[in-house]
Amino acid sequence: MYKMAVVGDRESILIFKAFGADIFAVDEGETLQNKKLINRLASDGYALILVTEQVAKHLSDVLEHFSRDLLPAISIIPSVEGSFGLAEMMLKKNVERAVGMNIL
Amino acid sequence: MEKLNVNPNRMELAELKSKLMVAKQGHELLKGKQDELVHRFVVVVNQSKKLRADVTEQFTGLYQEFALVGAEISPDFLEEAFMSSGNSSNIEVTEKSIMGVRVPQFDYSVSKEEISYPYSFSYTNSELDASLRKCHIMMEKIVLLAELEKTCELLTNEIEKIRRRVNALEFMTIPQLQESIRYIQMKLDENERGNLVRLIKVKNKTKKQMSK
């Protein structure tokens, strides 16, 4: 049995508390701390980590690192400030890597 | 293409020929696998793209509603209300294999249960209930989206790896083997011709001596 974590600014992630996810309110500027947090969560048996876009945009190398492993799955969710398409961009990049060009 | 460093003899030739056959078979197989993987990948990507657009839109709506809730109820109280939630997030993870690539499958139990409101209704408003309901419905999609995106990533890695192998076989190993085989065959033919010439010369010489 695995757990689920949500990382982001407090306002955006509060509601997930109601569904039993563990929430970690962080400051998007604290890149190093956030990287450490993600690493800790990954080794603590969290299968699913949701990260808000605002936080995730500074953590691309960590996301890249965990994209090679089966678990955890790190997924990007929009924050209250709205979405600027980071997840779509990453999907596009994957398609380009796999197919050789952007076919979307 | 550079030939391999081989001795031009028949044994080496036979060995290289069998190697070439294996390389060609392997190339064929890997190419087939790559094509099928890309095919599956495109299906997953399209699904994931659609779901991502859907989820992003729903999130925007959710946050708008939730902002209204936050306006009426103090954030501290809101946090307290959720903290007492008895739910614990339990995700069942099973593994699935797509063409030999192991991908996770998530099963989120909370999204299947009836929604429970972990707070007292007397201190909260109906907007909170509404946004909680909305988020509850979204949960399933969010988990599915995470699964699809993870699958995409893992498939991308595998496809990249296989493409590199296919290319290595197609543009390095197979031409090298072919070149080496040609080299050995030429060398053997050359030896054969040399031998023939020598024999003819010897024959001519013995003929001359006989006639003397």
Side-chain angles (χ1 to χ4, degrees), chain B residues 38-74:
Chain B
V38 168
H39 182 220
R40 305 255 179 126
F41 175 76
V42 169
V43 173
V44 175
V45 161
N46 282 333
Q47 266 180 351
S48 143
K49 199 186 164 210
K50 233 181 266 166
L51 194 60
R52 168 59 72 179
D54 189 17
V55 166
T56 307
E57 200 185 304
Q58 289 196 14
F59 254 110
T60 319
L62 177 76
Y63 284 140
Q64 272 166 4
E65 274 180 34
F66 202 57
L68 290 180
V69 176
E72 285 188 29
I73 307 170
S74 82

Coordinates of all heavy atoms in Angstrom, one line a residue, chain B residues 38-74:
Chain B
V38 N 6.3 2.6 -30.5 CA 5.9 3.9 -30.9 C 4.4 4.0 -31.2 O 3.7 5.0 -30.7 CB 6.6 4.3 -32.2 CG1 6.0 5.6 -32.8 CG2 8.1 4.5 -31.9
H39 N 3.8 2.9 -31.7 CA 2.4 2.9 -32.0 C 1.6 3.0 -30.7 O 0.7 3.8 -30.5 CB 2.1 1.6 -32.7 CG 0.6 1.4 -33.0 ND1 0.0 0.2 -32.9 CD2 -0.3 2.3 -33.4 CE1 -1.3 0.4 -33.2 NE2 -1.5 1.7 -33.6
R40 N 2.0 2.2 -29.7 CA 1.4 2.2 -28.3 C 1.6 3.6 -27.7 O 0.7 4.1 -27.0 CB 1.9 1.1 -27.4 CG 1.9 -0.2 -28.0 CD 0.8 -1.1 -27.4 NE 0.7 -2.4 -27.9 CZ 0.8 -3.5 -27.3 NH1 0.9 -3.4 -25.9 NH2 0.8 -4.6 -27.9
F41 N 2.8 4.1 -27.8 CA 3.2 5.4 -27.2 C 2.2 6.5 -27.7 O 1.7 7.3 -26.9 CB 4.6 5.7 -27.6 CG 5.1 7.0 -27.1 CD1 5.4 7.3 -25.8 CD2 5.2 8.1 -28.0 CE1 5.8 8.5 -25.4 CE2 5.6 9.3 -27.6 CZ 6.0 9.5 -26.3
V42 N 2.0 6.5 -29.0 CA 1.1 7.5 -29.6 C -0.3 7.5 -29.0 O -0.9 8.5 -28.7 CB 1.1 7.4 -31.1 CG1 0.1 8.4 -31.7 CG2 2.5 7.8 -31.7
V43 N -0.8 6.2 -28.8 CA -2.1 6.1 -28.3 C -2.1 6.7 -26.8 O -3.0 7.5 -26.5 CB -2.5 4.6 -28.2 CG1 -3.8 4.4 -27.5 CG2 -2.6 4.0 -29.6
V44 N -1.1 6.3 -26.0 CA -1.1 6.8 -24.7 C -0.9 8.3 -24.6 O -1.6 9.0 -23.8 CB 0.1 6.1 -23.9 CG1 0.2 6.7 -22.5 CG2 -0.1 4.6 -23.8
V45 N -0.1 8.8 -25.5 CA 0.1 10.3 -25.5 C -1.2 11.0 -25.9 O -1.5 12.0 -25.2 CB 1.2 10.7 -26.5 CG1 1.2 12.1 -26.9 CG2 2.6 10.3 -26.0
N46 N -1.9 10.5 -26.8 CA -3.1 11.2 -27.2 C -4.1 11.2 -26.0 O -4.8 12.2 -25.7 CB -3.7 10.5 -28.4 CG -3.0 11.0 -29.7 OD1 -2.5 12.1 -29.7 ND2 -3.0 10.2 -30.7
Q47 N -4.2 10.0 -25.4 CA -5.1 9.9 -24.2 C -4.7 10.9 -23.2 O -5.5 11.7 -22.6 CB -5.0 8.5 -23.6 CG -6.0 7.5 -24.1 CD -5.8 6.2 -23.4 OE1 -4.8 6.0 -22.7 NE2 -6.7 5.3 -23.6
S48 N -3.4 10.9 -22.9 CA -2.9 11.7 -21.8 C -3.1 13.2 -22.1 O -3.4 14.0 -21.2 CB -1.4 11.4 -21.6 OG -0.7 12.4 -21.2
K49 N -2.9 13.6 -23.4 CA -3.1 15.0 -23.8 C -4.5 15.5 -23.5 O -4.8 16.5 -23.0 CB -2.7 15.2 -25.2 CG -2.4 16.6 -25.6 CD -2.1 16.7 -27.1 CE -2.2 18.2 -27.4 NZ -2.7 18.3 -28.8
K50 N -5.4 14.6 -23.9 CA -6.8 14.9 -23.8 C -7.2 15.1 -22.3 O -7.8 16.1 -21.9 CB -7.7 13.8 -24.4 CG -8.7 14.3 -25.4 CD -9.5 13.2 -26.0 CE -8.9 12.7 -27.3 NZ -9.5 11.4 -27.7
L51 N -6.7 14.1 -21.5 CA -7.0 14.1 -20.1 C -6.4 15.3 -19.4 O -7.0 15.9 -18.5 CB -6.5 12.8 -19.5 CG -7.1 12.5 -18.1 CD1 -8.6 12.4 -18.1 CD2 -6.5 11.2 -17.6
R52 N -5.2 15.7 -19.8 CA -4.5 16.8 -19.2 C -5.3 18.1 -19.5 O -5.5 18.9 -18.5 CB -3.1 16.9 -19.8 CG -2.3 18.2 -19.6 CD -2.1 18.4 -18.1 NE -1.1 17.6 -17.4 CZ -0.8 17.7 -16.2 NH1 -1.4 18.6 -15.4 NH2 0.1 16.9 -15.6
A53 N -5.8 18.3 -20.7 CA -6.6 19.5 -21.0 C -7.8 19.5 -20.1 O -8.2 20.6 -19.5 CB -6.9 19.5 -22.5
D54 N -8.4 18.4 -20.0 CA -9.7 18.3 -19.2 C -9.4 18.6 -17.7 O -10.1 19.4 -17.1 CB -10.2 16.8 -19.3 CG -11.5 16.6 -18.7 OD1 -12.2 17.7 -18.5 OD2 -11.9 15.5 -18.4
V55 N -8.3 18.0 -17.2 CA -8.0 18.2 -15.8 C -7.6 19.7 -15.5 O -8.0 20.2 -14.5 CB -6.9 17.3 -15.3 CG1 -6.3 17.7 -14.0 CG2 -7.4 15.8 -15.2
T56 N -6.8 20.2 -16.4 CA -6.4 21.6 -16.2 C -7.6 22.6 -16.1 O -7.7 23.4 -15.3 CB -5.5 22.1 -17.4 OG1 -4.4 21.2 -17.5 CG2 -4.9 23.5 -17.1
E57 N -8.6 22.3 -17.0 CA -9.8 23.1 -17.0 C -10.5 23.0 -15.7 O -11.0 23.9 -15.1 CB -10.6 22.7 -18.2 CG -11.6 23.7 -18.6 CD -12.5 23.2 -19.7 OE1 -12.0 22.7 -20.7 OE2 -13.7 23.1 -19.5
Q58 N -10.7 21.7 -15.3 CA -11.4 21.5 -14.0 C -10.7 22.1 -12.8 O -11.4 22.6 -11.9 CB -11.6 20.0 -13.8 CG -12.6 19.4 -14.8 CD -13.0 18.0 -14.4 OE1 -12.8 17.6 -13.3 NE2 -13.6 17.3 -15.3
F59 N -9.4 22.0 -12.9 CA -8.7 22.6 -11.8 C -9.0 24.1 -11.7 O -9.2 24.7 -10.6 CB -7.2 22.4 -12.0 CG -6.6 21.4 -11.1 CD1 -6.1 20.2 -11.6 CD2 -6.5 21.6 -9.7 CE1 -5.6 19.2 -10.8 CE2 -5.9 20.7 -8.9 CZ -5.5 19.5 -9.4
T60 N -9.0 24.8 -12.8 CA -9.2 26.2 -12.8 C -10.6 26.5 -12.1 O -10.7 27.4 -11.3 CB -9.2 26.8 -14.2 OG1 -8.1 26.1 -14.9 CG2 -9.0 28.3 -14.3
G61 N -11.6 25.7 -12.5 CA -12.9 25.9 -12.0 C -12.9 25.6 -10.5 O -13.5 26.4 -9.7
L62 N -12.2 24.6 -10.1 CA -12.1 24.2 -8.7 C -11.5 25.3 -7.8 O -12.0 25.7 -6.8 CB -11.3 22.9 -8.5 CG -11.1 22.4 -7.1 CD1 -12.3 21.8 -6.6 CD2 -9.9 21.5 -7.0
Y63 N -10.4 25.9 -8.3 CA -9.7 26.9 -7.5 C -10.5 28.1 -7.4 O -10.5 28.8 -6.4 CB -8.3 27.2 -8.2 CG -7.3 26.2 -8.0 CD1 -6.4 25.8 -9.0 CD2 -7.2 25.6 -6.7 CE1 -5.4 24.9 -8.7 CE2 -6.2 24.6 -6.5 CZ -5.3 24.3 -7.5 OH -4.4 23.4 -7.3
Q64 N -11.3 28.4 -8.5 CA -12.2 29.6 -8.4 C -13.2 29.4 -7.3 O -13.5 30.3 -6.5 CB -12.9 29.8 -9.8 CG -12.0 30.7 -10.7 CD -12.6 30.6 -12.1 OE1 -13.6 30.0 -12.4 NE2 -11.9 31.2 -13.0
E65 N -13.8 28.2 -7.3 CA -14.8 27.9 -6.2 C -14.2 27.9 -4.9 O -14.7 28.5 -3.9 CB -15.4 26.6 -6.5 CG -16.6 26.7 -7.4 CD -17.2 25.3 -7.7 OE1 -17.2 24.5 -6.7 OE2 -17.7 25.0 -8.8
F66 N -13.0 27.4 -4.8 CA -12.3 27.2 -3.5 C -11.9 28.6 -3.0 O -11.9 28.8 -1.8 CB -11.1 26.3 -3.7 CG -10.7 25.7 -2.4 CD1 -11.6 24.9 -1.6 CD2 -9.4 25.9 -1.9 CE1 -11.2 24.4 -0.4 CE2 -9.0 25.3 -0.7 CZ -9.9 24.5 0.0
A67 N -11.6 29.5 -3.9 CA -11.3 30.9 -3.5 C -12.5 31.5 -2.8 O -12.3 32.2 -1.8 CB -10.9 31.7 -4.7
L68 N -13.7 31.2 -3.3 CA -14.9 31.8 -2.6 C -15.0 31.2 -1.2 O -15.4 31.9 -0.3 CB -16.1 31.4 -3.4 CG -16.3 32.1 -4.7 CD1 -17.5 31.6 -5.4 CD2 -16.3 33.6 -4.5
V69 N -14.7 29.9 -1.1 CA -14.8 29.3 0.2 C -13.8 30.0 1.2 O -14.1 30.3 2.3 CB -14.4 27.8 0.1 CG1 -14.4 27.2 1.5 CG2 -15.4 27.1 -0.8
G70 N -12.6 30.1 0.7 CA -11.5 30.7 1.5 C -11.9 32.2 1.9 O -11.4 32.6 2.9
A71 N -12.7 32.8 1.1 CA -13.0 34.2 1.4 C -14.0 34.2 2.6 O -14.0 35.2 3.4 CB -13.7 34.8 0.2
E72 N -14.7 33.2 2.8 CA -15.7 33.2 3.9 C -15.2 32.5 5.1 O -15.6 32.9 6.2 CB -17.0 32.5 3.4 CG -17.8 33.4 2.5 CD -19.1 32.7 2.2 OE1 -19.7 32.0 3.0 OE2 -19.7 33.0 1.1
I73 N -14.4 31.5 4.9 CA -13.9 30.8 6.1 C -12.4 31.1 6.2 O -11.7 31.1 5.2 CB -14.1 29.3 5.9 CG1 -15.5 29.0 5.6 CG2 -13.7 28.5 7.2 CD1 -15.8 27.6 5.2
S74 N -11.9 31.3 7.4 CA -10.5 31.6 7.6 C -9.7 30.4 7.2 O -10.1 29.2 7.5 CB -10.2 32.0 9.0 OG -10.1 30.9 9.8

